[in-house]
Amino acid sequence: MEVSVLNRENMAAAGALMPPDVAENIGRTWYRGLVAREDGTEEACGVLVWEYKNVGISGLQTEAELVWAAGERTETMDALFGQYRREIASEYAARSFFEFACEVPGQTVLKSLEAQGFSLRTITGRDLIVTVNDLQRLKLHKKKSPFYVQPLKVLNLRQFSNGIADCMYQGRKGILEDLAWLSNKFFEPDVSACILMDEKAKGFLLVHKTGSGVLVVDLLFTMGVNGSRDVLELIRHSVRTALELYPPETKVLLRRHNQTVRALVDRLFPDMKGEEAVAGERMETADE
Amino acid sequence: MNDSIMIAWIVNGLAVLLSWAALLLNKRSVPAEQHEDGMFARMCLLTIVAACVKILRKSIYPVTDIEQFDLGLIAIVFIEDMLFLGLLMQWALFVDYMLTKSMDRQRLLLPRVYVALGVVAAAEGIMGGIALYLVFRHDLESTVFLTLWTIVSYFAVQMLELIFLIFSVRKMAVFRKRRKGPILFRGMPFVIPVFIGGVLSLLLVKYVNFTILCIGIGLFLLYLSMKEERHYVHQETGCFTGDYLEILKTGKRSYAGGLGILVTGAGDEGIAKILRYDCPEGMDVIRLESGKYYVAGERADEQAVAYILKNLEEDAKAEGLSLLIRHDLCREGESIGELAARLEGM
């Protein structure tokens, strides 16, 4: 069994084992992956993808979140996890965790995770997937947004960078660990919105469209005493634009990654709870 | 309604229209520097107009006793108050602009001013209506009732104005989040004399209007406090002066954790422009000397610091400036002012 680092060059061989939404992230700053092949073959038989969290953030320990795991045989998964442990040890990750939609990981993967020391539990998933049609029920789109809420495309690169610097200085990155490395092209130019005042971006609602066409809300951040109202105006702008530009069946992924976002999403969609997911974690020790 | 009331009505009506027209003019999107001069000129002109209206009205229709209150007078006083309230709000907007230099914020505040004017106008209307009712229904005790009621209603309306002005002034603090308190405090002299002046003028019964005088005193006090602030702000670059660093050294102004960035290079105003644009909200830019700046902020993680520095370097390159940048976090027990000295020594 040969296990090698997954990168954009050898990604094609593992393409069948990964959905496009995972594959497109390979090569991003904190995304890492491993691919397993049977000796003497080119075709991949297992793949593991993870993302490092909190790298270089004082007061927080580096963690690794598994975002994808696939493999039909226990030996394959064991080989992948063995290499994974060595890789994350070199980055001083203190904890590994994951959250997969229940239907995603196969039984082999789940058994391997358990065998590798992950404590597994079934939870209500953090991701809430709604459709553009569902957004219509919010009734936000009926009122026009104020002049200072603009689509992301109106920002030049300097204004974008400046706004992102504000977000980062406030310690806000949404669900993007590599926000500092992403260009404005990563985000949808129309449905993403910003608060533009005095030629400076003072808030963002950033949306990324994945390879499969899902709209993922990556960051929602505003500054100033009118912050909560501006959040509403940003949402209003994005909802209006999404309703105009995307088919009603387009999926929108809202990741409830902290309590504030969870409260907001619960308020927007009180009758939607999210799918069941299987989650797990493992503390990593330096000596292993 | 006699002729003198009619004339007073017309004069006041015109003045109010002028005042509101000026408010609408503020909506125009013009370059900041033009806006600043134009706005100040408009404010001065309107104040003079308002004062003239007051004098003219008093010469046409002098009121020396509260018993002279009737429908026409209540209407005139109502319009006059609207005029002065409009002026007051405009001054609040102007001061806000001077502090923030934000055109967009002006446009943001304007709807609030309209709402404030509307609410106060409605309050005055209701109070005036009740006063009229008291006059017509309680002939014998009208003087006592009316006097008491007018004191109460004037007090209530002045309180409303006070609340709206505090609200406006408080909004001014947006541009520097951590200095809400002092700015609110500095705004108070602007507000309190108006309130006290109104009550005093009423208590004296004679319609000697203290409002203009009190606004003048308020503005003078505001000017004094702004003058003090100017001591700490370098006028050409808009950055803090080295005197501000002395405050930092004493620890009177602190930042969580403490991040300091020392920037040196040729091109004083160019560096200031870049720093003021690129440093996130909450970071203070201090001009130590020509071409030497110190940025003080709260502790941020490595990624954030690297990102801010990258933006600085890129913008400096685009402007053709060569910058030497040093940065560090405060050590245990070290103030942000002391960190500046350490970075200078490196």
Side-chain angles (χ1 to χ4, degrees), chain A residues 1-284:
Chain A
M1 182 78 58
E2 182 197 340
V3 176
S4 55
V5 171
L6 184 66
N7 52 39
R8 297 203 77 82
E9 285 70 44
N10 63 11
M11 207 168 65
L17 294 172
M18 274 188 299
D21 293 0
V22 174
E24 70 179 10
N25 292 322
I26 302 301
R28 280 173 60 179
T29 310
W30 302 118
Y31 273 86
R32 300 285 186 275
L34 293 170
V35 58
R37 293 185 190 84
E38 294 290 358
D39 291 332
T41 64
E42 279 301 308
E43 203 57 35
C45 61
V47 69
L48 201 58
V49 179
W50 69 95
E51 185 187 18
Y52 288 115
K53 304 269 181 188
N54 309 330
V55 180
I57 298 179
S58 55
L60 293 176
Q61 288 185 310
T62 302
E63 297 181 335
E65 180 185 4
L66 289 170
V67 292
W68 190 253
E72 291 296 321
R73 294 171 53 211
T74 310
E75 300 78 49
T76 308
M77 295 314 297
D78 287 347
L80 285 168
F81 277 118
Q83 185 62 27
Y84 166 77
R85 197 182 280 264
R86 286 187 284 279
E87 292 280 338
I88 63 168
S90 67
E91 290 285 347
Y92 305 103
R95 187 176 80 109
S96 291
F97 66 99
F98 67 88
E99 185 185 313
F100 297 137
C102 274
E103 71 275 15
V104 170
Q107 280 304 310
T108 314
V109 172
L110 285 179
K111 278 180 186 166
S112 293
L113 284 164
E114 223 162 8
Q116 292 291 329
F118 283 89
S119 57
L120 268 55
R121 64 191 194 283
T122 305
I123 58 165
T124 303
R126 63 188 169 179
D127 291 347
L128 183 69
I129 297 177
V130 298
T131 64
V132 166
N133 196 40
D134 292 328
L135 300 178
Q136 202 143 11
R137 291 189 316 186
L138 295 176
K139 293 188 171 43
L140 284 168
H141 56 286
K142 288 180 181 165
K143 199 177 145 195
K144 211 178 160 191
S145 299
F147 67 92
Y148 56 84
V149 180
Q150 296 284 334
L152 185 69
K153 66 181 176 187
V154 305
L155 294 186
N156 60 36
L157 202 57
R158 191 180 182 206
Q159 287 170 323
F160 175 77
S161 302
N162 188 270
I164 295 297
D166 271 343
C167 294
M168 296 193 58
Y169 180 66
Q170 303 291 337
R172 301 282 295 276
K173 295 190 285 190
I175 59 170
L176 299 166
E177 285 299 311
D178 53 352
L179 180 63
W181 286 267
L182 294 171
S183 90
N184 52 354
K185 302 276 187 292
F186 182 79
F187 306 103
E188 287 297 282
D190 291 295
V191 76
S192 298
C194 63
I195 302 284
L196 185 63
M197 291 182 75
D198 295 318
E199 303 300 310
K200 288 184 93 171
K202 310 253 179 178
F204 287 110
L205 191 160
L206 297 178
V207 178
H208 165 62
K209 192 176 175 184
T210 67
S212 65
V214 177
L215 297 172
V216 182
V217 179
D218 286 327
L219 173 71
L220 179 56
F221 168 74
T222 58
M223 288 188 292
V225 290
N226 290 330
S228 50
R229 201 183 60 191
D230 289 345
V231 162
L232 187 70
E233 295 300 345
L234 284 170
I235 296 172
R236 190 194 306 285
H237 179 279
S238 292
V239 166
R240 276 174 69 95
T241 314
L243 287 168
E244 279 169 24
L245 297 182
Y246 297 95
E249 65 277 11
T250 307
K251 287 179 179 172
V252 180
L253 189 149
L254 307 163
R255 177 158 293 178
R256 297 169 290 189
H257 64 101
N258 62 32
Q259 283 307 313
T260 313
V261 178
R262 185 169 284 276
L264 178 66
V265 173
D266 287 349
R267 196 165 173 183
L268 292 173
F269 301 99
D271 52 342
M272 299 174 99
K273 297 290 172 215
E275 299 295 315
E276 277 201 339
V278 55
E281 65 174 332
R282 178 179 82 181
M283 301 312 290
E284 305 293 344

Side-chain angles (χ1 to χ4, degrees), chain B residues 33-318:
Chain B
E33 56 276 15
Q34 288 178 33
H35 182 83
E36 194 174 311
D37 295 343
M39 200 171 172
F40 184 68
R42 216 156 45 227
M43 302 307 299
C44 293
L45 181 70
L46 275 168
T47 309
I48 293 164
V49 168
C52 290
V53 164
K54 205 87 177 167
I55 294 162
L56 188 63
R57 203 273 296 155
K58 282 169 80 177
S59 66
I60 298 167
Y61 196 80
V63 183
T64 52
D65 198 302
I66 198 143
E67 283 183 36
Q68 282 181 261
F69 264 88
D70 61 14
L71 181 64
L73 182 67
I74 286 173
I76 287 169
V77 172
F78 167 67
I79 292 173
E80 242 172 39
D81 276 357
M82 286 293 288
L83 170 66
F84 275 89
L85 184 62
L87 265 174
L88 218 59
M89 290 291 183
Q90 290 214 35
W91 275 109
L93 282 176
F94 178 67
V95 173
D96 172 69
Y97 174 75
M98 293 301 284
L99 291 169
T100 62
K101 302 282 176 191
S102 165
M103 276 297 295
D104 284 340
R105 282 184 32 71
Q106 284 282 306
R107 291 159 71 192
L108 260 180
L109 282 172
L110 210 60
R112 293 196 183 103
V113 171
Y114 284 124
V115 171
L117 283 172
V119 172
V120 175
E124 293 226 42
I126 293 164
M127 301 293 188
I130 295 171
L132 274 178
Y133 173 82
L134 290 170
V135 170
F136 292 123
R137 291 281 169 176
H138 305 273
D139 284 342
L140 291 175
E141 301 123 308
S142 63
T143 308
V144 179
F145 267 120
L146 193 58
T147 306
L148 283 173
W149 177 255
T150 313
I151 289 171
V152 170
S153 64
Y154 208 103
F155 185 81
V157 173
Q158 289 287 324
M159 279 303 287
L160 259 179
E161 288 180 20
L162 181 77
I163 289 164
F164 283 123
L165 279 167
I166 288 176
F167 181 63
S168 300
V169 172
R170 193 167 169 79
K171 285 286 166 191
M172 293 173 194
V174 175
F175 80 111
R176 249 180 249 151
K177 281 189 290 184
R178 282 187 247 100
R179 306 183 82 206
K180 268 181 195 170
I183 284 172
L184 180 61
F185 179 72
R186 283 202 297 277
M188 290 305 280
F190 178 60
V191 177
I192 290 170
V194 181
F195 172 65
I196 297 170
V199 175
L200 277 177
S201 68
L202 190 85
L203 288 174
L204 289 171
V205 179
K206 290 179 182 175
Y207 210 75
V208 178
N209 200 304
F210 280 84
T211 314
I212 294 176
L213 178 69
C214 292
I215 289 175
I217 293 167
L219 286 174
F220 180 67
L221 291 171
L222 192 70
Y223 163 76
L224 288 181
S225 64
M226 283 177 76
K227 194 179 164 192
E228 190 189 331
E229 179 161 310
R230 277 170 181 247
H231 178 64
Y232 293 110
V233 178
H234 186 249
Q235 296 303 303
E236 281 71 39
T237 58
C239 300
F240 284 110
T241 59
D243 293 319
Y244 188 68
L245 191 67
E246 296 306 314
I247 293 176
L248 299 186
K249 279 180 183 166
T250 60
K252 280 182 188 166
R253 169 90 170 84
S254 62
Y255 301 80
L259 164 71
I261 305 171
L262 186 74
V263 180
T264 46
D268 193 37
E269 288 191 22
I271 299 171
K273 202 173 135 193
I274 289 169
L275 288 175
R276 289 190 66 201
Y277 189 84
D278 282 336
C279 291
E281 198 168 292
M283 287 185 122
D284 292 328
V285 182
I286 303 156
R287 182 180 180 274
L288 300 176
E289 59 187 70
S290 179
K292 187 187 273 188
Y293 288 83
Y294 180 63
V295 183
E298 291 179 357
R299 182 180 288 262
D301 65 64
E302 281 173 31
Q303 282 183 25
V305 176
Y307 196 82
I308 294 163
L309 296 182
K310 181 185 76 105
N311 282 352
L312 280 176
E313 279 161 5
E314 280 177 3
D315 285 344
K317 201 174 165 187

